[in-house]
Each structure stands twice: as C-alpha cells, then as structure tokens.
Amino acid sequence: MHINLKAPLLAVNSHEINLNGVAQLDNDDINLDIQFATNQWNIEELIALIPEAYADLLDGINVSGNASLSGSARGTYNDSIMPLISANLQYTDGKVAYYALPYKLHDVNASLSADVNLNEGSISNATIQSLKAHTGSMWLAADGSINDLLGNMACNLNITGDLNLPELRPLLPEDIKINMNGRANTDISARFNLDDATNLRLDRIIADASIKYTNLDVLYNDSIAIKDPKGTLNLTLPSPHTNKHFKELAQASLNSTNLQVDAQLDSSHTQL
C-alpha cells in the first residue's frame, strides 16, 4: 500500500510541519521517502508543550529563541532497521543558560545539519555551517564537522573569538591565584575526539592557534607579573619537531611589542 503525502500540514498551536513524499507499507516494512519542513518555532512556546511528566529533563536549562527544521527520512523502517534521517536546523536570536556552566549565552545564531543513521554499525555525522554566541563582552564562533556523532565525536573545527581575559577566570581552578586583564582575538583550527578534549589529553589533539592580545596584564601568585601592550602567540599541537630525549608536546612562538616579566621567587628578584 502506498501513502502519498502532498504537503499536508500538521500543526500544534502555531508550530507547523509540512510533509511531502511517499510511505509504502510492505508486510512488516515501511519504506519511506519523505521530506519535511517546519515554520519558525518559538522555543519557549515549544517547551511549554512538553508534558509535565518529562519537564524535569530540562531542569536547570533555560533556552529561548527561534528555530526551523527541514530535512528528509529515506529508507526502511521495521523492528531492526531505521531510515536515514537528514536534517537542517536554523536557530536565531537564542539565549542559553545551564546551571552547571559559569556563562549565560545570548545572541546565539546557528546553522547546522546532520545525517543520523541509527542502524547498528553505522555512523552519524554533523556539519556546523555557522555557530556564533555571545556571553558578557565576549563572543565565540565556530564552523566545521563532527564525525561519529553518537560515538567518539571526532571534531574538525575552526574557532574564532574575541575574549575578555578577566571573564575567563571562572574556567580556571579556584586554587590558582591569578589576575588577568586584557583582550585576546583567537583563531584556532583543531582536530580532536571530544573525550580527549574534555579530559585535556593534549597529546591526542591536533591544533594550530593564533592568539592576538592587547593590553596584557597578568599577575600570578602575587610573584610573577607579565605585561605587554600588544602581541601574538602562535601554538601548534603536537610539535612538528622531534627530540630524541623527550617528546615535545607543543611548539609555541611569541611576537611581542614590549614584553615585561617581573618575577619574585623566594628571596630572588628577576626582571626581563
């Protein structure tokens, strides 16, 4: 039996889904070739439709903004096989806050796509066409790809940003005594598995970073002061050089304008 879907409209309040395609029933199989597209959804209104029994899944998470979704479902659906889902997400004017994170994001805009294959032994992938978010006086932007989306999450990303150094303090361990002032523009290309990045396995991360800073003023442990009006730090992981005595983790180079280092360690005092 064939079911032809010619742009029927499914709607819950103002949230609409248009379907177009064919669903073929063949014994226990459902063969699908369907395209879908939504109108623009208000996220807060959509969350309000979630049944109360599932509302606790969003405890501590606040999300707002507008989103639209389009894509397709192609393949066979039965007890053991799932169709391939391709989806494109547009997210605009977003705000995101999570109780476990020290930052609240605003002006979040994203264009994302994914091919999701839930069959055993298959791999799902995602592409970030664009992603930008602001927090405080800072912003970060990213594009790239994530392979094995439901597994190792192998990321290949380009990340740029404008950072205010004092606002980075919540990311550092509380027992590190450091005051930081200045701003930094970052340009990073990196390849890594998500688990390696979250556990800081730097020897498994491939990255090139350029960090251009201005008005750098850092005081560490009340004993080491670093100042420079302007400079660029370049970092490569892993180091392109080899050393027979030890493994070089990274290569770094610094192009400074007027770098001043004042270190007071125990009874000695050093200035550079």
Side-chain angles (χ1 to χ4, degrees):
M1 180 177 70
H2 284 76
I3 300 175
N4 292 307
L5 304 173
K6 293 296 184 183
L9 182 67
L10 304 178
V12 178
N13 295 341
S14 60
H15 303 98
E16 303 173 356
I17 304 177
N18 284 284
L19 302 175
N20 190 8
V22 175
Q24 179 180 358
L25 305 181
D26 185 7
N27 295 323
D28 294 331
D29 295 340
I30 303 176
N31 299 312
L32 301 173
D33 187 357
I34 296 174
Q35 292 79 47
F36 58 87
T38 72
N39 62 341
Q40 184 170 269
W41 291 354
N42 180 279
I43 300 300
E44 290 178 298
E45 294 177 0
L46 187 64
I47 291 175
L49 299 176
I50 297 176
E52 185 175 349
Y54 301 100
D56 58 349
L57 296 175
L58 295 176
D59 282 351
I61 303 174
N62 291 308
V63 182
S64 63
N66 300 298
S68 60
L69 189 67
S70 63
S72 63
R74 291 187 173 94
T76 300
Y77 172 79
N78 59 31
D79 291 341
S80 58
I81 301 175
M82 296 288 290
L84 175 66
I85 306 296
S86 296
N88 304 288
L89 173 67
Q90 304 294 322
Y91 180 49
T92 58
D93 302 322
K95 293 182 179 179
V96 180
Y98 179 52
Y99 79 97
L101 297 178
Y103 300 106
K104 295 180 179 180
L105 305 180
H106 62 89
D107 293 322
V108 182
N109 293 281
S111 178
L112 314 172
S113 62
D115 293 320
V116 180
N117 193 331
L118 299 178
N119 295 299
E120 185 176 354
S122 299
I123 292 178
S124 299
N125 301 311
T127 300
I128 303 171
Q129 283 88 10
S130 63
L131 171 62
K132 189 173 185 178
H134 294 74
T135 181
S137 67
M138 306 185 294
W139 61 263
L140 282 173
D143 62 74
S145 62
I146 304 175
N147 295 327
D148 198 7
L149 184 62
L150 305 178
N152 292 329
M153 296 189 70
C155 303
N156 187 353
L157 301 177
N158 302 305
I159 303 169
T160 56
D162 179 21
L163 308 178
N164 183 28
L165 297 187
E167 294 180 69
L168 299 181
R169 187 62 184 88
L171 297 177
L172 302 176
E174 293 183 2
D175 57 350
I176 293 181
K177 191 175 182 181
I178 187 170
N179 291 317
M180 302 183 297
N181 288 289
R183 295 196 74 89
N185 290 318
T186 62
D187 188 352
I188 303 170
S189 296
R191 288 184 289 156
F192 55 88
N193 287 346
L194 183 62
D195 184 63
D196 292 334
T198 55
N199 288 283
L200 295 179
R201 301 188 188 105
L202 299 182
D203 58 320
R204 299 184 183 182
I205 296 174
I206 299 173
D208 286 296
S210 176
I211 303 171
K212 298 180 179 180
Y213 59 81
T214 55
N215 300 318
L216 181 67
D217 189 349
V218 177
L219 178 62
Y220 173 69
N221 203 31
D222 293 328
S223 60
I224 300 176
I226 302 173
K227 294 184 179 182
D228 192 12
K230 184 179 181 181
T232 301
L233 174 64
N234 295 306
L235 183 67
T236 298
L237 288 172
S239 172
H241 302 295
T242 58
N243 192 307
K244 64 180 180 180
H245 300 294
F246 58 88
K247 183 176 181 179
E248 296 187 23
L249 178 61
Q251 174 181 279
S253 64
L254 176 64
N255 182 10
S256 64
T257 302
N258 185 23
L259 180 65
Q260 299 178 31
V261 180
D262 190 345
Q264 177 134 20
L265 304 175
D266 297 329
S267 61
S268 62
H269 183 249
T270 303
Q271 286 185 317
L272 299 177

